[in-house]
Amino acid sequence: MVVLSQPLVEKFSHIKTCKHKNTTSDHVYTGIIPVIDLLDPEANNLIIKACQEFGFFKVVNHGVPIETITKLENESINFFNLSQIEKEKVGPANPFGYGNKRIGSKGDVGWVEYLLFTTNPELNHNKSITIPGNSLLFWGLVKEYISAIRNMGCMVLEMIAEGLNIEPKNILSRMLSDEKSDSCFRLNYYPPYPELLQALSGRNLIGFGEHTDPQVISVGRSNNTSGLQISLKDGTWISVPPDPYSFVINVGDSLQAMSNGRFMSVRHRVVADSLKARVSMIYFGGPPLSEKIAPLSCLMEEPNEQILYNEFTWSEYKISAYKTRLGDNRLSLFEKNAQS
């Protein structure tokens, strides 16, 4: 038995905890998560329904090669298994690079290590980041993975446009395919913490606190370790079963605004596993900085439908979002009835 000293307990006291994710007393349930086969003839309609009801869904038959997924995950694990001294040579994240527990600049923390990169080749942030080991191999795998995920994300957005009967077909996907798309890519590592089990008395460390994503959509996956949870409209938390070969799609704040609230940006969080490491890879599909975000006029079917959000550029929203805490309702500042 490992007996923890009080200083060790206090060392992690700033990390939030929740009751064990398998207990109903924490109001966390494993519900029916929408799983959509992208080859299904009804996929467009199923995606629309999932965006409306959950703001979240899984996709299978997505076309991303398993080999591409596996190689990058293995290289990511190799990095996170390096000594802390070696990893910190790639940081601190500002905002890109290696980060450890600190999330953003407003005091949010979690039981997580991460690598954050921009996907815009015109920016120079990534060029100054040298990954220990075979850096050329790592960056080649990242580039290959991002290309495949971006293509899949664009396909999903075009299916959404078709499902909503709006034209042109690329009205949403063009924001991700644009060469100036302000998207980013994040590798998260949630280490196990067996030495803290006794001190936590059955509670779990929060790896990444509850939040919504500000971009258009997010496309993520993880290894076979559970931890991802989404919040339903009534505040109930649902655990998402892990599946290393499917992808999860999150509706982001920008898509909620463009749909005039038809789709809801999903609140989600990650609960760290005490015994097994969790590795996740997320592509955050954002528009160009100058892109104007507003409810799409082609969606306003009813003549008296109220416009819920003021127009803003992605740059304005991004600046505003990063001034807030992780769990804040960022989009509320851009609602029509918000106080200026």
Side-chain angles (χ1 to χ4, degrees):
M1 179 186 297
V2 178
V3 179
L4 294 179
S5 64
Q6 189 62 27
L8 182 56
V9 176
E10 292 175 350
K11 179 180 179 182
F12 302 103
S13 62
H14 60 298
I15 307 273
K16 292 182 179 180
T17 63
C18 70
K19 292 181 181 179
H20 196 281
K21 58 178 174 287
N22 292 328
T23 63
T24 56
S25 58
D26 193 38
H27 305 294
V28 177
Y29 307 94
T30 300
I32 300 176
I33 300 295
V35 180
I36 299 172
D37 183 342
L38 293 183
L39 299 181
D40 187 332
E42 288 296 313
N44 295 359
N45 295 327
L46 294 172
I47 289 173
I48 297 300
K49 184 177 180 181
C51 289
Q52 292 171 334
E53 295 185 4
F54 294 91
F56 174 95
F57 54 96
K58 280 187 174 184
V59 296
V60 295
N61 280 325
H62 42 68
V64 179
I66 299 301
E67 184 180 13
T68 300
I69 298 171
T70 303
K71 284 183 177 180
L72 181 56
E73 181 176 294
N74 290 340
E75 285 301 311
S76 302
I77 293 172
N78 289 341
F79 171 81
F80 288 115
N81 283 338
L82 292 172
S83 69
Q84 196 60 35
I85 292 176
E86 286 297 305
K87 288 186 287 190
E88 288 179 354
K89 292 178 182 179
V90 189
N94 187 31
F96 302 110
Y98 170 76
N100 183 15
K101 298 183 177 67
R102 184 170 174 263
I103 302 170
S105 60
K106 296 300 177 181
D108 292 294
V109 292
W111 189 255
V112 62
E113 300 176 43
Y114 63 88
L115 285 167
L116 180 64
F117 311 122
T118 177
T119 68
N120 188 336
E122 293 187 355
L123 301 179
N124 294 319
H125 297 289
N126 294 347
K127 295 179 180 179
S128 62
I129 300 175
T130 301
I131 303 298
N134 193 334
S135 190
L136 287 177
L137 172 64
F138 182 88
W139 283 117
L141 292 173
V142 167
K143 183 177 180 180
E144 180 182 353
Y145 184 87
I146 289 174
S147 177
I149 299 304
R150 182 192 292 115
N151 290 340
M152 190 254 287
C154 287
M155 178 173 64
V156 168
L157 288 175
E158 290 180 1
M159 295 172 80
I160 289 175
E162 290 179 352
L164 291 173
N165 295 313
I166 56 178
E167 295 287 347
K169 179 181 176 180
N170 70 342
I171 191 169
L172 299 173
S173 64
R174 64 174 178 78
M175 293 185 288
L176 274 58
S177 60
D178 192 300
E179 62 181 10
K180 294 184 178 180
S181 167
D182 185 48
S183 299
C184 57
F185 178 61
R186 187 179 184 112
L187 295 165
N188 287 330
Y189 177 75
Y190 302 92
Y193 49 93
E195 73 279 8
L196 295 177
L197 278 177
Q198 181 181 358
L200 291 171
S201 303
R203 299 181 70 85
N204 290 85
L205 288 173
I206 295 294
F208 213 107
E210 64 177 272
H211 63 287
T212 61
D213 296 332
Q215 290 87 358
V216 181
I217 60 169
S218 306
V219 183
R221 64 159 299 279
S222 74
N223 63 351
N224 210 25
T225 301
S226 62
L228 177 63
Q229 298 176 355
I230 64 169
S231 178
L232 302 183
K233 293 178 181 179
D234 64 0
T236 300
W237 286 97
I238 290 185
S239 292
V240 179
D243 176 2
Y245 303 116
S246 67
F247 286 86
V248 297
I249 310 290
N250 293 356
V251 171
D253 296 347
S254 296
L255 186 54
Q256 177 174 326
M258 296 180 75
S259 69
N260 202 40
R262 286 170 172 78
F263 299 164
M264 299 303 295
S265 183
V266 63
R267 295 190 73 79
H268 54 288
R269 67 184 183 185
V270 174
V271 178
D273 191 290
S274 59
L275 300 177
K276 296 187 295 182
R278 183 176 190 271
V279 180
S280 63
M281 298 146 52
I282 310 100
Y283 167 77
F284 299 93
L289 290 171
S290 60
E291 183 74 28
K292 292 180 180 179
I293 306 295
L296 296 170
S297 58
C298 52
L299 277 181
M300 301 305 192
E301 300 170 351
E302 301 296 331
N304 59 349
E305 180 176 351
Q306 181 182 1
I307 296 177
L308 301 181
Y309 303 100
N310 294 309
E311 182 181 272
F312 52 87
T313 66
W314 168 238
S315 178
E316 291 170 339
Y317 190 71
K318 184 178 177 181
I319 291 171
S320 174
Y322 288 111
K323 289 180 180 178
T324 62
R325 295 295 299 268
L326 187 63
D328 289 347
N329 183 356
R330 304 158 177 150
L331 198 52
S332 65
L333 300 175
F334 295 85
E335 291 174 355
K336 274 288 186 180
N337 59 355
Q339 296 294 321
S340 57

